[in-house]
Amino acid sequence: MTDVKTQINETVKANDVVLYMKGTKEMPQCGFSSRVAGVLNYMGVEYTDVNVLADENIRQGIKDYSDWPTVPQLYVKGEFVGGCDIITEMTLSGELDTLFDDNGVGYNKDAADKIREANA
């Protein structure tokens, strides 16, 4: 498990935004992963996707790493942000914009506003 933890740690530290998910950003394999990837894709965020279905050690390892029981899991600048419900709430409240702004992560502000308008 130490090797998996090291691998996960290196991935989240080496990339500004990482999404551990079921499937890939082009082809999510569950609704929750699809929702978070859809938000990031729509907002034009550049991120690294890690398909937990491709490696059982990573699938369990990411849950142990974050002490969070579910996937997807979003990391920004090496810090765990949350899963689907948290990312959805943060998107609708504007907190995700603030997080990206504070960490120098590029995204399309107009797209973020459109998500909020569509869900108002």
Short mmCIF file of all heavy atoms in Angstrom, two decimals, residues 21-24 29 49-59:
data_model
loop_
_atom_site.label_atom_id
_atom_site.label_comp_id
_atom_site.label_asym_id
_atom_site.label_seq_id
_atom_site.Cartn_x
_atom_site.Cartn_y
_atom_site.Cartn_z
N MET A 21 -11.47 9.16 -10.70
CA MET A 21 -12.84 8.91 -11.15
C MET A 21 -12.98 7.51 -11.71
O MET A 21 -11.99 6.82 -11.97
CB MET A 21 -13.21 9.93 -12.23
CG MET A 21 -12.35 9.86 -13.49
SD MET A 21 -12.72 11.13 -14.73
CE MET A 21 -14.37 10.67 -15.24
N LYS A 22 -14.23 7.09 -11.88
CA LYS A 22 -14.53 5.84 -12.56
C LYS A 22 -14.64 6.17 -14.04
O LYS A 22 -15.55 6.91 -14.44
CB LYS A 22 -15.81 5.22 -12.03
CG LYS A 22 -15.67 4.73 -10.59
CD LYS A 22 -16.96 4.13 -10.08
CE LYS A 22 -16.78 3.65 -8.65
NZ LYS A 22 -18.06 3.17 -8.08
N GLY A 23 -13.70 5.66 -14.82
CA GLY A 23 -13.64 5.97 -16.24
C GLY A 23 -12.66 7.09 -16.49
O GLY A 23 -11.76 7.35 -15.69
N THR A 24 -12.83 7.75 -17.64
CA THR A 24 -11.95 8.84 -18.03
C THR A 24 -12.78 10.09 -18.29
O THR A 24 -14.01 10.01 -18.40
CB THR A 24 -11.18 8.49 -19.33
OG1 THR A 24 -12.13 8.35 -20.39
CG2 THR A 24 -10.37 7.20 -19.17
N GLN A 29 -17.50 6.43 -16.33
CA GLN A 29 -18.16 5.14 -16.18
C GLN A 29 -19.21 5.13 -15.07
O GLN A 29 -19.70 4.06 -14.71
CB GLN A 29 -17.11 4.05 -15.91
CG GLN A 29 -16.09 3.90 -17.02
CD GLN A 29 -16.64 3.15 -18.21
OE1 GLN A 29 -17.17 2.07 -18.06
NE2 GLN A 29 -16.52 3.72 -19.39
N ASP A 49 -6.93 13.14 -15.28
CA ASP A 49 -7.91 12.16 -14.81
C ASP A 49 -7.21 10.84 -14.53
O ASP A 49 -6.31 10.44 -15.26
CB ASP A 49 -9.04 11.99 -15.83
CG ASP A 49 -8.56 11.60 -17.21
OD1 ASP A 49 -7.41 11.93 -17.57
OD2 ASP A 49 -9.33 10.97 -17.96
N VAL A 50 -7.62 10.19 -13.45
CA VAL A 50 -7.09 8.88 -13.08
C VAL A 50 -8.27 7.93 -12.97
O VAL A 50 -9.16 8.13 -12.15
CB VAL A 50 -6.30 8.93 -11.75
CG1 VAL A 50 -5.80 7.54 -11.39
CG2 VAL A 50 -5.16 9.94 -11.83
N ASN A 51 -8.27 6.90 -13.82
CA ASN A 51 -9.35 5.93 -13.86
C ASN A 51 -9.11 4.86 -12.78
O ASN A 51 -8.25 4.00 -12.94
CB ASN A 51 -9.42 5.29 -15.24
CG ASN A 51 -10.53 4.28 -15.37
OD1 ASN A 51 -11.30 4.04 -14.44
ND2 ASN A 51 -10.62 3.66 -16.54
N VAL A 52 -9.88 4.93 -11.71
CA VAL A 52 -9.70 3.97 -10.61
C VAL A 52 -10.13 2.56 -11.01
O VAL A 52 -9.73 1.59 -10.36
CB VAL A 52 -10.44 4.41 -9.32
CG1 VAL A 52 -9.94 5.77 -8.85
CG2 VAL A 52 -11.95 4.41 -9.51
N LEU A 53 -10.92 2.42 -12.06
CA LEU A 53 -11.35 1.10 -12.50
C LEU A 53 -10.22 0.32 -13.17
O LEU A 53 -10.28 -0.90 -13.28
CB LEU A 53 -12.54 1.21 -13.47
CG LEU A 53 -13.80 1.86 -12.90
CD1 LEU A 53 -14.86 1.98 -13.99
CD2 LEU A 53 -14.32 1.09 -11.70
N ALA A 54 -9.18 1.04 -13.58
CA ALA A 54 -8.05 0.39 -14.25
C ALA A 54 -7.08 -0.27 -13.27
O ALA A 54 -6.25 -1.08 -13.68
CB ALA A 54 -7.30 1.42 -15.10
N ASP A 55 -7.19 0.06 -11.98
CA ASP A 55 -6.25 -0.47 -10.99
C ASP A 55 -6.92 -0.56 -9.63
O ASP A 55 -7.19 0.48 -9.00
CB ASP A 55 -5.01 0.43 -10.93
CG ASP A 55 -3.91 -0.11 -10.04
OD1 ASP A 55 -4.21 -0.89 -9.10
OD2 ASP A 55 -2.75 0.27 -10.25
N GLU A 56 -7.19 -1.76 -9.18
CA GLU A 56 -7.89 -1.97 -7.90
C GLU A 56 -7.10 -1.36 -6.74
O GLU A 56 -7.69 -0.86 -5.78
CB GLU A 56 -8.13 -3.47 -7.66
CG GLU A 56 -8.89 -3.76 -6.38
CD GLU A 56 -10.27 -3.11 -6.30
OE1 GLU A 56 -10.98 -3.05 -7.32
OE2 GLU A 56 -10.62 -2.64 -5.20
N ASN A 57 -5.76 -1.39 -6.82
CA ASN A 57 -4.96 -0.80 -5.74
C ASN A 57 -5.17 0.71 -5.65
O ASN A 57 -5.24 1.26 -4.55
CB ASN A 57 -3.47 -1.12 -5.95
CG ASN A 57 -3.17 -2.59 -5.75
OD1 ASN A 57 -3.78 -3.26 -4.91
ND2 ASN A 57 -2.24 -3.11 -6.53
N ILE A 58 -5.27 1.36 -6.79
CA ILE A 58 -5.54 2.80 -6.81
C ILE A 58 -6.98 3.05 -6.34
O ILE A 58 -7.24 3.99 -5.58
CB ILE A 58 -5.34 3.40 -8.22
CG1 ILE A 58 -3.87 3.30 -8.65
CG2 ILE A 58 -5.84 4.84 -8.29
CD1 ILE A 58 -2.93 4.23 -7.92
N ARG A 59 -7.89 2.20 -6.76
CA ARG A 59 -9.30 2.38 -6.39
C ARG A 59 -9.47 2.38 -4.87
O ARG A 59 -10.20 3.21 -4.33
CB ARG A 59 -10.15 1.26 -7.02
CG ARG A 59 -11.62 1.44 -6.82
CD ARG A 59 -12.40 0.37 -7.55
NE ARG A 59 -13.83 0.61 -7.47
CZ ARG A 59 -14.73 -0.10 -8.12
NH1 ARG A 59 -14.35 -1.09 -8.90
NH2 ARG A 59 -16.00 0.17 -7.99
#
